[in-house]
Amino acid sequence: MRELSAQLLRWHAQRASYAVATVVDVTGSAPRLPGATMAVNDAGTVIGSISGGCVEAAVYDLCRQVLRSGTPTRETFGYSDSDAFAVGLTCGGEVAVLVHRVTDQEYPAIEAVLRAERPISLVRDLRTGEISAVGPEETTGAKFDPIVVRQALGMLDADASGVRIIGCDDAQRAVFIESFGSQPRLIVCGATDFSAALCRVGRLLGYRVTVCDARSVFTTRARFPDADEVVVDWPHRYLDRTHVDSRTAVCVLTHDPKFDIPVLQLALRLPIGYIGAMGSRRADADRRARLRAAGLTESELRRLHSPIGLELGGRTPEEIAVAIAAEIVAVRRGGSTKPLSATNRPIHAVSDLQPSPT
């Protein structure tokens, strides 16, 4: 839902009524994970996607129906062997979609999720469509039972999303709990044209992007409008004082030893998910020799992706940025980096269907 935040907040400002379709369960191979969202307002405008195109038209019609009736609807879509043109997932999987109407009474819970800077979860009652934003310090929206809130907080702590059945017999309640952790970070060291292109791609992938360089004349907001943060400082000093974790990617694009070595020496000893550095193969050999001389072990050096990026043959800053981003995604998701046509494993492996921490 967060990827739709700009448009949803505009609808809220206009006091518009809209319907939200959310993938609440996935079986087998499917293009989107639980939590994928599509929204349709009362003027018929649609934003987002829940299947990459397979069942969008049918879900759009459901949204329009729910806008008129106000009654939440849950429907399952799967592949139809008997009619290849029937509504369904041609990839062979099955998705369960919840559609409910959002009115101005529910805006506070939605906005709490869209604007949150800390981890937060969104809880939806699968029967009534009621929603609530649940965080460690507050609850906004519908007042769910304490046991539901505790379940939501536990799943938030584990970065998990999914359907949960709460209670038993007549008091049983089915809820979909969607966890939103803090954004993963992309720290770009070096104020170059390649950095500006990588900022654009990183933002597209949902990263919170920081550009850092000690040269103030180059490190300006005007040059990096797509960065969330532009920092004038030596990269190693900035990295030493900022928060990083296993979802953080650090890309060193300066290919200058006085910048590269100090920041890489620090980064390779921090719990960072991806560390890459730009430069020729000769520059890479020199860089690794300098890092060894600085005391880094071979185990630590194996974490360094250098020369940075996948071999796509690109030459422009934008093409290089795509190659870098592709390697970041492959490392984060465990991809083979081979063309899909050269592999025979499932495109959406079982492990891929686990909720993303983003």
Side-chain angles (χ1 to χ4, degrees):
M1 175 175 284
R2 276 180 170 168
E3 70 273 15
L4 310 181
S5 60
Q7 184 60 64
L8 291 181
L9 290 172
R10 281 194 288 269
W11 287 355
H12 289 193
Q14 298 162 3
R15 314 309 293 176
S17 178
Y18 62 94
V20 169
T22 304
V23 175
V24 296
D25 197 19
V26 172
T27 303
S29 179
R32 300 295 304 274
L33 297 172
T37 301
M38 187 172 88
V40 179
N41 70 4
D42 47 14
T45 301
V46 59
I47 57 174
S49 172
I50 53 93
S51 72
C54 301
V55 298
E56 309 297 315
V59 174
Y60 177 83
D61 289 341
L62 272 179
C63 287
R64 298 285 284 171
Q65 174 186 319
V66 169
L67 273 170
R68 292 190 296 269
S69 69
T71 303
T73 298
R74 186 181 181 189
E75 189 155 334
T76 299
F77 298 92
Y79 179 68
S80 172
D81 290 315
S82 60
D83 183 357
F85 295 98
V87 171
L89 295 172
T90 56
C91 52
E94 187 175 271
V95 296
V97 179
L98 172 70
V99 182
H100 76 284
R101 186 173 66 187
V102 177
T103 59
D104 56 1
Q105 289 84 7
E106 296 171 324
Y107 287 174
I110 299 290
E111 292 195 15
V113 169
L114 299 181
R115 299 183 185 278
E117 295 182 358
R118 293 171 295 184
I120 195 168
S121 60
L122 188 66
V123 182
R124 295 179 177 88
D125 187 300
L126 295 182
R127 181 179 62 83
T128 67
E130 288 182 303
I131 60 174
S132 180
V134 177
E137 299 176 4
E138 61 179 340
T139 298
T140 304
K143 301 301 180 183
F144 287 107
D145 296 336
I147 189 171
V148 176
V149 174
R150 288 197 297 271
Q151 180 74 58
L153 292 176
M155 292 178 67
L156 181 61
D157 188 58
D159 283 328
S161 299
V163 175
R164 295 294 184 270
I165 307 300
I166 308 296
C168 56
D169 300 328
D170 294 339
Q172 192 175 81
R173 185 176 218 170
V175 295
F176 175 64
I177 300 172
E178 186 178 3
S179 297
F180 297 91
S182 56
Q183 280 182 284
R185 298 194 62 193
L186 172 61
I187 301 174
V188 183
C189 303
T192 70
D193 289 346
F194 296 102
S195 301
L198 185 57
C199 286
R200 292 193 289 275
V201 178
R203 188 168 190 174
L204 177 68
L205 294 178
Y207 284 84
R208 178 173 177 80
V209 182
T210 299
V211 173
C212 180
D213 195 309
R215 302 168 298 175
S216 59
V217 67
F218 298 111
T219 316
T220 64
R221 170 58 64 184
R223 293 191 71 218
F224 300 99
D226 294 297
D228 296 284
E229 184 181 32
V230 178
V231 178
V232 179
D233 200 351
W234 286 85
H236 70 281
R237 295 200 309 196
Y238 172 74
L239 189 62
D240 190 44
R241 71 172 187 267
T242 194
H243 173 74
V244 297
D245 57 29
S246 62
R247 299 178 304 145
T248 301
V250 173
C251 297
V252 180
L253 307 186
T254 48
H255 46 84
D256 182 338
K258 68 177 179 289
F259 285 95
D260 296 2
I261 302 305
V263 70
L264 289 173
Q265 185 177 352
L266 175 61
L268 290 167
R269 289 172 170 166
L270 291 174
I272 294 171
Y274 175 91
I275 304 164
M278 176 175 278
S280 66
R281 297 193 186 281
R282 178 179 295 179
D284 174 58
D286 177 71
R287 179 188 295 130
R288 290 177 184 271
R290 290 172 183 264
L291 289 169
R292 289 188 187 94
L296 270 77
T297 66
E298 292 303 316
S299 176
E300 290 168 333
L301 285 173
R302 280 195 292 273
R303 300 182 58 214
L304 176 61
H305 297 270
S306 174
I308 197 170
L310 299 183
E311 188 181 16
L312 302 184
R315 292 186 176 274
T316 68
E318 291 74 19
E319 290 172 338
I320 299 300
V322 169
I324 294 170
E327 184 174 54
I328 292 173
V329 171
V331 170
R332 182 179 178 186
R333 301 297 190 187
S336 70
T337 74
K338 296 178 181 178
L340 287 174
S341 59
T343 66
N344 57 12
R345 72 174 187 170
I347 294 175
H348 305 292
V350 174
S351 60
D352 294 338
L353 299 180
Q354 299 304 313
S356 168
T358 65

